[in-house]
């Protein structure tokens, strides 16, 4: 069983920054992918960024160059540094785990409760 707890959300103005954290407990295997997905009100869930077991990162096009995903294995924490935030980034952000990027972004095996990000113009 894997438990994921997100923190770090908040309200910022356009162009601002936030860093999300996800505390991970439980057993993750090197084959697992871990990452962030988001869901805006009234919209479909979408993948944001994911890491494979070797640390390779995948980003959705809309956040490339602005968001950075990273992991502190010693502390078992996953981060998402979000810079130059835009109103369209407003959503509930979830930490998630699965066995591939497509399934991580679509229907993850494990998902946290989420942390809300609001970006005002």
């Amino acid at each position: 069983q894997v438990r994921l707890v997100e923190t770090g959300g908040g309200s910022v103005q356009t162009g601002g920054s936030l860093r999300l954290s996800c505390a991970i407990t439980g057993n993750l295997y090197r084959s697992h992918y871990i990452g962030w997905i988001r869901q805006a009100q009234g919209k479909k869930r979408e993948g944001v960024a994911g890491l494979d077991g070797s640390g390779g990162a995948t980003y959705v096009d809309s956040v490339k160059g602005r968001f950075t995903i990273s992991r502190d294995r010693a502390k078992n924490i996953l981060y998402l540094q979000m810079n130059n935030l835009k109103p369209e980034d407003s959503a509930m952000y979830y930490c998630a785990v699965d066995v591939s990027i497509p399934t991580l972004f679509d229907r993850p095996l494990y998902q946290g409760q989420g942390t809300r990000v609001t970006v005002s113009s």
Side-chain angles (χ1 to χ4, degrees):
Q1 188 70 18
V2 174
R3 184 165 180 255
L4 308 167
V5 178
E6 304 94 334
T7 56
S11 297
V12 296
Q13 292 188 325
T14 298
S17 298
L18 284 172
R19 188 176 79 158
L20 306 183
S21 299
C22 172
I24 308 158
T25 54
N27 292 323
L28 290 186
Y29 298 102
R30 195 166 183 83
S31 57
H32 277 132
Y33 288 74
I34 186 164
W36 295 90
I37 57 178
R38 67 186 179 186
Q39 187 164 20
Q41 199 163 2
K43 295 188 177 181
K44 285 182 60 176
R45 174 170 49 195
E46 67 168 345
V48 177
L51 279 178
D52 63 29
S54 300
T58 299
Y59 296 93
V60 66
D61 285 346
S62 61
V63 308
K64 284 180 181 176
R66 301 188 297 123
F67 291 12
T68 303
I69 188 172
S70 62
R71 182 178 180 180
D72 185 329
R73 287 186 178 271
K75 296 181 180 178
N76 271 344
I77 299 177
L78 180 73
Y79 299 102
L80 185 68
Q81 178 67 43
M82 307 186 294
N83 297 328
N84 191 21
L85 282 160
K86 304 175 181 181
E88 52 263 42
D89 294 317
S90 297
M92 187 72 84
Y93 283 71
Y94 301 93
C95 182
V97 172
D98 210 290
V99 296
S100 73
I101 286 293
T103 50
L104 176 73
F105 286 175
D106 181 44
R107 193 175 294 182
L109 285 171
Y110 301 102
Q111 179 178 313
Q113 292 301 304
T115 186
R116 185 169 297 280
V117 171
T118 302
V119 185
S120 57
S121 57

